[in-house]
Amino acid sequence: MNNLPLQGRASEEFPLEGFTVGITASRRRDELRKAFEKRGAKVVTGSSIEIVPLERDNELRAVTQKCISDKLDYVVATTGIGFRGWMEAADSWDIGDELRRNIAAAKLLARGPKARGSIRASGLTELWTPSSESMSEVLDYLLEDGVEGKTIAIQQHGEPQDDVTEVLLGAGANVVSVPVYRWVLPQDLSEVKRLVSMTIAGHVDCITFTSAPAVLGLIEVAIQMELEEQLLLSLRNACMPVCVGPVCSGPLQRRGVAPLTPDRSRLGAMIHTVADELPRRYSKVFEVAGHNLQIRGSAVDLDGRIIYIPPAPMQVLKALAADPGKVLSRAKLIEALPGEDANSHALEMSVARLRSMLGDVKILQTVVKRGYRLACS
């Protein structure tokens, strides 16, 4: 394979041309969609969670009352939006000042700079923030300080910190879990089910997550569809998962999936990570029959011209491109075709359509009685 430079539209203004990006976010879905479409991507949305409104969350209100009535030794703020939402909810119930007084009397820890900013915006002051923005470092700090017999309130954001809680309970602490922004599955699952199916079928090149609950929601839908293992297999191999930060990536890592995370846990940084990494990872470039050909998701860049290829012909092209120049038998190529109607006729139709769309029959060679190959030099 020659490492040829990218050409034309796809490499400059539109780095994601030809690729399909899945979005699981709900709150900032439109912002993400516009950002990826601006960069040339096709976008498939499937919001995997709905957030329970804080002011109507009776569970959060009951825990907040407990945090006012009990003496707190430590309070851990894990996210900026979560801590701010907790304070705003308490204010809406006219107990915000009482809550702040009790938190101010405790040792207040911030997991990262966003949480620290929300603490200060609430008129409070944090005692310590880890440089790593990691809950494991927060846990180490607490254990070193000594937590036996102490009451620790941990502000959650979506997925409970069960592993942290278990260690603290084992060390003799009393842990109060503050369930800020609880989530439920959407009432209408049709959109997210479509995203799961498209990901498993290989029609989504990258899927993005902005929260750990969004990951868990997508997996829960896949479980309901009895497709959990197929989804995880796709996320390990064929589809590039990208999470906004390390907390978000946790549920995937625990299931053997290694998502990308940007250097900074910001939406803009995640968008740039997708635009940089997706073409680098999944763009295959060849010199074929005198042409520069690059596979880009569901399209090819042929000498700087973007051509969108239907699923069946594209699967044939990707199978041949997996070992450029090697002859693949008809039987192997039939296996690569999507759907239940994969047969010799479907293969012949896919090859004919691929040749027609590429515009040069010499790109894909027929090897008599053996199969087909890409005419790579």
Side-chain angles (χ1 to χ4, degrees):
M1 183 187 302
N2 293 320
N3 191 19
L4 300 173
L6 305 182
Q7 299 186 44
R9 170 182 160 118
S11 63
E12 297 170 2
E13 295 180 67
F14 304 94
L16 296 177
E17 185 77 54
F19 292 105
T20 299
V21 177
I23 295 175
T24 60
S26 175
R27 190 170 59 91
R28 303 181 73 176
R29 176 177 63 180
D30 291 341
E31 180 182 349
L32 279 170
R33 177 171 55 201
K34 289 176 182 177
F36 289 128
E37 287 178 345
K38 180 181 177 181
R39 289 161 174 79
K42 175 184 175 183
V43 172
V44 179
T45 57
S47 299
S48 55
I49 57 170
E50 290 180 356
I51 302 299
V52 178
L54 291 183
E55 64 275 8
R56 298 202 299 269
D57 192 336
N58 292 328
E59 183 180 340
L60 175 62
R61 184 168 186 168
V63 171
T64 301
Q65 291 282 8
K66 180 175 177 60
C67 288
I68 292 171
S69 61
D70 293 356
K71 176 184 179 296
L72 301 177
D73 297 291
Y74 299 91
V75 177
V76 180
T78 61
T79 64
I81 189 172
F83 190 82
R84 183 169 65 250
W86 185 22
M87 297 301 106
E88 291 173 352
D91 287 336
S92 74
W93 301 321
D94 294 324
I95 55 176
D97 291 341
E98 296 174 79
L99 177 62
R100 288 181 181 85
R101 279 196 295 271
N102 219 26
I103 291 176
K107 294 181 178 180
L108 181 53
L109 311 180
R111 183 184 61 84
K114 285 187 176 182
R116 182 175 61 217
S118 289
I119 286 171
R120 295 178 182 180
S122 299
L124 298 165
T125 303
E126 80 288 350
L127 174 66
W128 177 80
T129 304
S131 58
S132 66
E133 302 184 37
S134 164
M135 277 302 292
S136 62
E137 193 172 348
V138 173
L139 178 60
D140 290 342
Y141 178 95
L142 289 168
L143 294 174
E144 185 175 340
D145 207 37
V147 297
E148 186 174 0
K150 303 295 178 65
T151 298
I152 305 168
I154 301 179
Q155 170 252 313
Q156 310 288 350
H157 186 81
E159 186 184 23
Q161 302 284 340
D162 292 337
D163 49 347
V164 173
T165 298
E166 184 177 346
V167 173
L168 291 173
L169 290 173
N174 173 36
V175 179
V176 179
S177 181
V178 183
V180 182
Y181 289 108
R182 290 190 301 115
W183 60 274
V184 295
L185 291 178
Q187 289 188 338
D188 183 0
L189 294 177
S190 58
E191 191 180 62
V192 67
K193 283 184 175 181
R194 175 173 174 260
L195 178 58
V196 169
S197 297
M198 290 184 66
T199 302
I200 291 170
H203 301 325
V204 177
D205 303 297
C206 169
I207 191 163
T208 59
F209 301 95
T210 56
S211 68
V215 177
L216 295 170
L218 190 74
I219 293 172
E220 176 59 31
V221 171
I223 290 172
Q224 291 186 15
M225 298 170 69
E226 299 184 351
L227 293 172
E228 180 187 13
E229 286 306 315
Q230 292 93 321
L231 176 66
L232 294 176
L233 183 64
S234 181
L235 294 176
R236 292 184 191 113
N237 300 310
C239 177
M240 184 178 82
V242 180
C243 294
V244 73
V247 175
C248 176
S249 69
L252 286 176
Q253 291 178 336
R254 288 190 287 276
R255 290 165 174 82
V257 178
L260 277 179
T261 56
D263 293 335
R264 298 173 68 249
S265 299
R266 304 289 187 274
L267 210 62
M270 184 181 74
I271 292 166
H272 286 299
T273 296
V274 174
D276 291 341
E277 287 295 319
L278 191 53
R280 188 186 68 81
R281 284 195 178 194
Y282 295 107
S283 294
K284 296 183 177 182
V285 186
F286 310 93
E287 184 174 350
V288 186
H291 300 278
N292 292 340
L293 184 147
Q294 180 190 41
I295 297 177
R296 301 179 58 83
S298 61
V300 298
D301 181 338
L302 184 65
D303 299 328
R305 179 169 60 99
I306 295 295
I307 306 167
Y308 280 84
I309 309 293
M314 178 56 82
Q315 289 303 105
V316 171
L317 181 58
K318 287 182 176 179
L320 292 168
D323 199 345
K326 180 180 177 180
V327 178
L328 279 192
S329 68
R330 288 175 175 270
K332 284 290 183 183
L333 290 173
I334 289 171
E335 289 178 8
L337 290 175
E340 298 178 356
D341 296 326
N343 51 44
S344 295
H345 177 70
L347 175 61
E348 290 171 5
M349 295 297 293
S350 295
V351 169
R353 193 169 186 186
L354 183 58
R355 283 172 167 162
S356 175
M357 298 187 77
L358 295 178
D360 186 347
V361 296
K362 295 191 296 294
I363 291 176
L364 199 164
Q365 293 181 338
T366 300
V367 181
V368 179
K369 295 184 179 181
R370 293 182 60 196
Y372 299 95
R373 65 181 291 270
L374 286 181
C376 296
S377 55

